[in-house]
Amino acid sequence: AQSVLDAVLRRFSRVLPAGGGLTVLDLLARRILALGLEPLVKSGEVPSQERESALQALQLRPVETFDFHNDEAVTAQWAKSNFSLLGPRLTAELAERTHAGYRPVAWWVELLFRYSSASIDQSSRNSSLFETVFGGDSVETDMHEKLVTLLNLTGLVSSPVLILDEVEGFSSNPEAALQVATFLNALHQSCNKLALIISVNGDVWETAFLPRLPCGLKDRLSDIVIDLK
């Protein structure tokens, strides 16, 4: 789980071309926060003088609406000033939407807020992100929970795809192939919107994977097969 989470965050934290320093994670964070704020504005719990226009901005222009680096983005600046009160309510809404526990969602909501509201010119932004996620005494179960929660939050605003490639080495280690296949299946079952693609040569699939896979797991992993001649 740790190596997969590391790969996901490295891809998410790449600076976008012509993005002015923004990363994929910036855009995801803004869209996730906007989605969590929307029902609070709709219910009136978060006051707004022009509720309909505020809702329209959250739905249609979440990236611009939650631009923490634009002083004229009123919603973003208000959220930044009131996050200590807003964070728990955002967490509750997003936890309900992802059918996840409050604690792991709260952890990511705070981290995404801190990341996306930090100065873009701050060279330590990504290093601080990785230190927060992987530092300390985290165990593998924590990493699995963090990965599942991040993918489920991402699934609220996009369609995450996880690709396993370059698996030729498993031909000499079928036990490792079984462990990886079991992990990916468990991850796929925990993340409703996650699409899983395994790119593997036929001979490696037949020698490294099939002999060890239980029938149920084999059927799930080979639910859709695209055979490239």
Side-chain angles (χ1 to χ4, degrees):
Q2 180 168 333
S3 60
V4 176
L5 181 56
D6 180 82
V8 169
L9 286 178
R10 289 190 185 282
R11 183 164 293 274
F12 280 0
S13 59
R14 291 178 180 174
V15 176
L16 293 166
L22 294 179
T23 66
V24 174
L25 192 58
D26 280 309
L27 306 190
L28 288 173
R30 293 181 186 185
R31 294 171 67 187
I32 290 169
L33 293 173
L35 187 67
L37 185 63
E38 184 183 330
L40 305 182
V41 173
K42 187 178 296 184
S43 67
E45 185 173 345
V46 172
S48 176
Q49 293 181 341
E50 299 181 7
R51 184 180 302 177
E52 291 305 317
S53 61
L55 285 172
Q56 190 175 47
L58 288 171
Q59 294 167 353
L60 302 180
R61 301 184 302 278
V63 173
E64 294 83 358
T65 302
F66 261 91
D67 184 355
F68 293 104
H69 309 103
N70 181 0
D71 292 337
E72 296 182 1
V74 179
T75 300
Q77 299 308 318
W78 179 88
K80 194 173 182 178
S81 300
N82 296 274
F83 186 77
S84 59
L85 298 174
L86 183 62
R89 290 296 296 120
L90 287 175
T91 296
E93 291 293 336
L94 293 170
E96 183 176 353
R97 285 175 178 257
T98 55
H99 307 289
Y102 181 91
R103 183 185 59 80
V105 174
W107 191 88
W108 273 113
V109 167
E110 182 177 353
L111 179 57
L112 291 175
F113 169 76
R114 282 194 282 112
Y115 180 87
S116 57
S117 61
S119 172
I120 295 178
D121 298 328
Q122 188 182 58
S123 59
S124 62
R125 192 164 70 127
N126 280 347
S127 60
S128 177
L129 168 70
F130 280 83
E131 175 61 29
T132 302
V133 175
F134 300 107
D137 299 323
S138 298
V139 296
E140 189 65 18
T141 52
D142 293 333
M143 291 299 165
H144 184 82
E145 183 179 63
K146 288 176 181 177
L147 176 61
V148 167
T149 305
L150 177 60
L151 290 175
N152 278 326
L153 286 172
T154 300
L156 293 176
V157 297
S158 68
S159 300
V161 180
L162 189 64
I163 301 174
L164 177 66
D165 199 0
E166 299 181 358
V167 297
E168 289 76 11
F170 287 138
S171 58
S172 59
N173 192 349
E175 187 61 37
L178 174 60
Q179 292 176 359
V180 168
T182 302
F183 164 75
L184 292 176
N185 179 64
L187 188 63
H188 186 253
Q189 291 184 320
S190 300
C191 305
N192 295 330
K193 297 293 183 67
L194 177 66
L196 175 63
I197 299 175
I198 302 177
S199 175
V200 56
N201 288 339
D203 57 339
V204 176
W205 175 254
E206 292 173 3
T207 59
F209 287 90
L210 290 186
R212 295 295 187 96
L213 293 181
C215 291
L217 181 55
K218 178 180 65 176
D219 291 341
R220 283 192 291 273
L221 290 179
S222 58
D223 181 41
I224 299 175
V225 176
I226 301 176
D227 191 9
L228 302 179
K229 298 298 185 182

